[in-house]
Amino acid sequence: MLMTKKQFQDSIRARNPMNVWFLGKKIENLTAFPPLAASFNAISKVYELAQRPAWKDLITVKSHLNGEDVSIYNAPLRSAEDANRKTRAARALAEVIGCCTHRCTGSEAFAGLGPACYDMDHDLGTHYFERFMTFLDYVQKHDLTCTVTVTDVKGLRTLPPHAQPDKDMYVHVDEIRDDGIVISGFKCNQTGILFAHEIVIVPTTNMKPEDKDFAVACAVPADSPGITFVLGRTPQDKRFFEVNDDIEGIDLGKKYADHQALVYFDKVFVPNDRVFLCGEVKYVGRLLSYFTAVHRLTAGGCKAGGCSALCGAASLIADMIGVQKAGHIRTKLTEMSMTAETVYGLSLASGVEGFQHPSGFWIPNPLMSHTCKYTCTKIPFDAVRYARDILAGFGETAPSEMDMRSAGVGSICQRAFNPGNPDYTALDRLRASRFIEHMVRGSNWTAMALHGGGNQEASTVMARMYTDWDYVKELVKVAAGIEKDTAKAEEFLDSIGKRKGRICNYGDLPKIDKN
Ligand SMILES: Cc1cc2nc3c(=O)[nH]c(=O)nc-3n(C[C@H](O)[C@H](O)[C@H](O)COP(=O)(O)OP(=O)(O)OC[C@H]3O[C@@H](n4cnc5c(N)ncnc54)[C@H](O)[C@@H]3O)c2cc1C
């Protein structure tokens, strides 16, 4: 059953005490801790919107497992339509909260685990798929927030997991018991993890047989014993203390944000019914292929939403200070708008050009998804540059809200910062300026575009792997008459018209439609 915002907040408050640290001190009450207030507000908003009739069709869906209305973040993608809904939801939510939804990554872990478990059962005779679907059913029925922990801290990148002098550089299995496994190790950069009910752990990289201990996928409640969290910094985290957790404070830029944390699993027990891969090294690559195909599709949706908001903020500033008609400003704003549409388009297209896995899960077109994420690591940075350009120097160095409102210098500051446009006040200009500041250098929004879901090189490596190099060469051999075998050329010509996913090579990924 879907939780209301209040039920969600109560469920988070009802968790067991967690070992969470920030600035050298233990956080006693997560939901009342100022630097986490905007993050708690963001995920609460996602729950609130799921109850609003106008959002229902976008972010909830009827479960094929139990027939209930469930969050799209707990439901597998089963068609191109589902994939497109995920893109649209990511964009729409980003247009509201301008940060991570806190719920996406869990859904992407499920998108990776479902087909990977199915493949293992098919090839190895294991029973992971049923176990996984039972877990998913539980998550759906309780409307839980799940977060995926993929990124291990990795130490020296040239050493594989088993060769690291400190084994905890990658999460690994310490012990296999009759009733479950015990795991240890670090994961970093974990978005939204402090407000998750469940942590889904998957490996970060392909593995060789020697790395068997590190090939583990499982789920643990976020409040399990043995887990330590250290909240990461953002440039503006101390401002939350200044505004005394009043997240309406103008200097925060906006009242929604996400958070990231370092996580240490210290001999955490995982019962068997929550273990979805344990030692099957060969299937780690598959799991990651399925996972990244969906994760990198989502990046295009949420970056599109962020770019729309950034474009809106820059456009407002231009109106305020009277430069909206200048040719170069119009060009820059239009480029920002086209940036949003480019990554949105790639995300939608990778859903449409995907394929059905025998498990029933829909896999977006991997080449397009990796291209989508690759593009997210690049063009939003031009949008960021344009927004800062239009913001102007005084927008970047503006006095604080406290000075703007102070008895001593308030009137001086407000006079100086008044844009001169009778439709707007100095405080309106400060609001729009801080919004831009939040997105471009106050929060981790740009870090998310660059690294979240994989960096430029990680996307490039996968895009290279999923490009059908033989096909693109054969195209030209046939077109240019280099192919001398006429029958082969004719057969190839017919295959072009029937081909789905164009130049994508699906490798050994099992799919129902063989075209
Ligand atoms: C704001 C933010 C939010 C995040 N949220 C999450 C989250 O919720 N869950 C999660 O699990 N992770 C999360 N991440 C982690 C993110 O997925 C990783 O940062 C990303 O996958 C890259 O890993 P890495 O940072 O360890 O860098 P690496 O991949 O180790 O890269 C380090 C350097 O090596 C280069 N490089 C990488 N691969 C290659 C290669 N094959 N060949 C040559 N050079 C290469 C890179 O370009 C880079 O310069 C988040 C990160 C950020 C910044």
Side-chain angles (χ1 to χ4, degrees), residues 251-293:
D251 277 345
L252 293 179
K254 56 190 187 58
K255 55 185 175 181
Y256 304 109
D258 46 52
H259 69 265
Q260 281 74 34
L262 167 69
V263 187
Y264 182 50
F265 298 92
D266 187 11
K267 301 208 169 13
V268 175
F269 177 70
V270 190
N272 279 332
D273 58 353
R274 286 167 162 266
V275 177
F276 310 124
L277 182 146
C278 185
E280 292 85 355
V281 271
K282 203 178 136 208
Y283 291 84
V284 170
R286 277 275 177 91
L287 197 173
L288 291 174
S289 283
Y290 298 136
F291 163 74
T292 52

Side-chain angles (χ1 to χ4, degrees), residues 60-126:
T60 67
V61 69
K62 188 136 326 268
S63 166
H64 82 289
L65 287 175
N66 49 47
E68 290 186 14
D69 286 340
V70 300
S71 166
I72 58 163
Y73 295 116
N74 292 336
L77 305 181
R78 294 175 58 78
S79 63
E81 193 190 343
D82 286 348
N84 284 174
R85 186 193 287 114
K86 189 156 201 291
T87 299
R88 292 194 178 97
R91 180 168 189 175
L93 286 169
E95 286 175 0
V96 175
I97 59 177
C99 63
C100 180
T101 63
H102 296 55
R103 298 193 74 179
C104 261
T105 66
S107 69
E108 286 138 17
F110 302 149
L113 282 167
C117 287
Y118 184 95
D119 291 351
M120 284 188 283
D121 290 1
H122 177 268
D123 299 354
L124 311 173
T126 48

Side-chain angles (χ1 to χ4, degrees), residues 58 81 83-95 296-308 335-352 368-369 371-373 375-376 379-380:
L58 188 63
E81 193 190 343
N84 284 174
R85 186 193 287 114
K86 189 156 201 291
T87 299
R88 292 194 178 97
R91 180 168 189 175
L93 286 169
E95 286 175 0
R296 292 180 181 169
L297 163 147
T298 313
C302 63
K303 292 309 153 296
C307 285
S308 310
E335 260 195 52
M336 291 172 78
S337 148
M338 291 192 292
T339 297
E341 297 315 289
T342 303
V343 290
Y344 185 54
L346 279 167
S347 178
L348 287 173
S350 70
V352 172
M368 279 192 181
S369 281
T371 306
C372 179
K373 176 71 239 273
T375 310
C376 289
I379 59 175

Side-chain angles (χ1 to χ4, degrees), residues 160-162 205-215 279 281-282:
H162 74 275
T205 186
N206 234 329
M207 308 230 167
K208 299 217 163 80
E210 311 84 88
D211 298 317
K212 195 166 184 274
D213 291 351
F214 301 84
V281 271
K282 203 178 136 208

Side-chain angles (χ1 to χ4, degrees), residues 97-283:
I97 59 177
C99 63
C100 180
T101 63
H102 296 55
R103 298 193 74 179
C104 261
T105 66
S107 69
E108 286 138 17
F110 302 149
L113 282 167
C117 287
Y118 184 95
D119 291 351
M120 284 188 283
D121 290 1
H122 177 268
D123 299 354
L124 311 173
T126 48
H127 297 93
Y128 285 127
F129 188 65
E130 191 187 345
R131 189 186 274 185
F132 168 71
M133 294 308 268
T134 305
F135 176 72
L136 193 59
D137 185 53
Y138 159 78
V139 162
Q140 287 188 350
K141 284 183 174 148
H142 294 84
D143 198 19
L144 301 180
T145 281
C146 306
T147 180
V148 71
T149 62
V150 190
T151 310
D152 297 281
V153 295
K154 298 195 283 274
L156 197 64
R157 301 313 200 249
T158 43
L159 296 178
H162 74 275
Q164 295 284 339
D166 181 347
K167 208 173 174 186
D168 284 343
M169 294 295 108
Y170 287 79
V171 167
H172 56 273
V173 178
D174 288 312
E175 193 187 337
I176 299 182
R177 298 183 189 161
D178 287 346
D179 54 348
I181 60 174
V182 177
I183 59 164
S184 291
F186 293 108
K187 294 275 188 185
C188 60
N189 315 326
Q190 299 307 309
T191 302
I193 197 160
L194 298 174
F195 295 128
H197 301 99
E198 293 283 343
I199 301 176
V200 186
I201 297 150
V202 302
T204 201
T205 186
N206 234 329
M207 308 230 167
K208 299 217 163 80
E210 311 84 88
D211 298 317
K212 195 166 184 274
D213 291 351
F214 301 84
V216 58
C218 56
V220 291
D223 59 356
S224 300
I227 313 181
T228 299
F229 304 85
V230 185
L231 176 61
R233 297 216 68 166
T234 60
Q236 69 171 30
D237 47 32
K238 283 203 165 171
R239 289 195 195 177
F240 286 96
F241 293 111
E242 285 164 19
V243 298
N244 213 8
D245 94 1
D246 169 14
I247 48 174
E248 304 293 335
I250 295 178
D251 277 345
L252 293 179
K254 56 190 187 58
K255 55 185 175 181
Y256 304 109
D258 46 52
H259 69 265
Q260 281 74 34
L262 167 69
V263 187
Y264 182 50
F265 298 92
D266 187 11
K267 301 208 169 13
V268 175
F269 177 70
V270 190
N272 279 332
D273 58 353
R274 286 167 162 266
V275 177
F276 310 124
L277 182 146
C278 185
E280 292 85 355
V281 271
K282 203 178 136 208
Y283 291 84

